[in-house]
Amino acid sequence: MLVTLSACLAPISADAPHVQVVRVLNTTLDHDLKDGVERSSTMRRLVRRIERSDLIVHVVAGVPRLDRPHPAAGSTRFVGAHGGRRYLRIMVDEALDADTRAAVLAHELQHALEVAQARDVVDQASFE
């Protein structure tokens, strides 16, 4: 028991597992992201830059912003901040064709990168 406990209390080192920063919670969008990162240097650059930030980004499927006269194909929302991390949720309309979904996802990742670079965005008010 002591060995297990001391292992749990060991400081986090450079060998600690990588934290998944962009977390896709939908199989279709997960495929779109992986395919986009593989095929697009822009998408790859966006994801790499976000991975070097304090953000955790959840990507989900849905129809964003139905309250608008013209619903958007994607949206980015600030969820919160805790423990030195800021959390965003990207929503993409899964009903779009694959190329459009990828374009919308890249567009929303650009917004996420903008938040990553704006250290003063720490809540919904500063996000808006």
Side-chain angles (χ1 to χ4, degrees):
M1 182 66 150
L2 227 189
V3 173
T4 304
L5 182 58
S6 61
C8 292
L9 296 175
I12 296 173
S13 70
D15 297 330
H18 173 72
V19 173
Q20 176 95 20
V21 172
V22 179
R23 302 172 180 177
V24 185
L25 306 176
N26 173 279
T27 55
T28 301
L29 296 174
D30 187 50
H31 176 269
D32 293 340
L33 179 67
K34 289 175 180 171
D35 188 52
V37 166
E38 183 179 310
R39 295 183 344 169
S40 166
S41 61
T42 299
M43 180 94 75
R44 195 166 36 253
R45 177 185 54 82
L46 287 168
V47 170
R48 284 183 181 155
R49 291 180 71 188
I50 291 167
E51 284 178 341
R52 291 192 300 263
S53 76
D54 66 332
L55 293 183
I56 299 291
V57 179
H58 291 112
V59 180
V60 299
V63 181
R65 306 295 304 257
L66 290 176
D67 58 327
R68 296 180 133 183
H70 303 287
S75 68
T76 300
R77 300 188 68 115
F78 189 88
V79 176
H82 180 73
R85 293 279 192 178
R86 296 178 293 163
Y87 294 83
L88 299 180
R89 174 175 293 126
I90 290 176
M91 186 177 291
V92 176
D93 186 348
E94 185 182 18
L96 301 168
D97 65 84
D99 288 340
T100 304
R101 280 193 317 266
V104 169
L105 181 55
H107 176 86
E108 298 306 325
L109 287 170
Q110 176 61 46
H111 290 312
L113 179 58
E114 292 163 1
V115 172
Q117 294 170 335
R119 302 290 302 157
D120 57 329
V121 175
V122 294
D123 55 24
Q124 185 61 37
S126 55
F127 175 77
E128 291 173 5

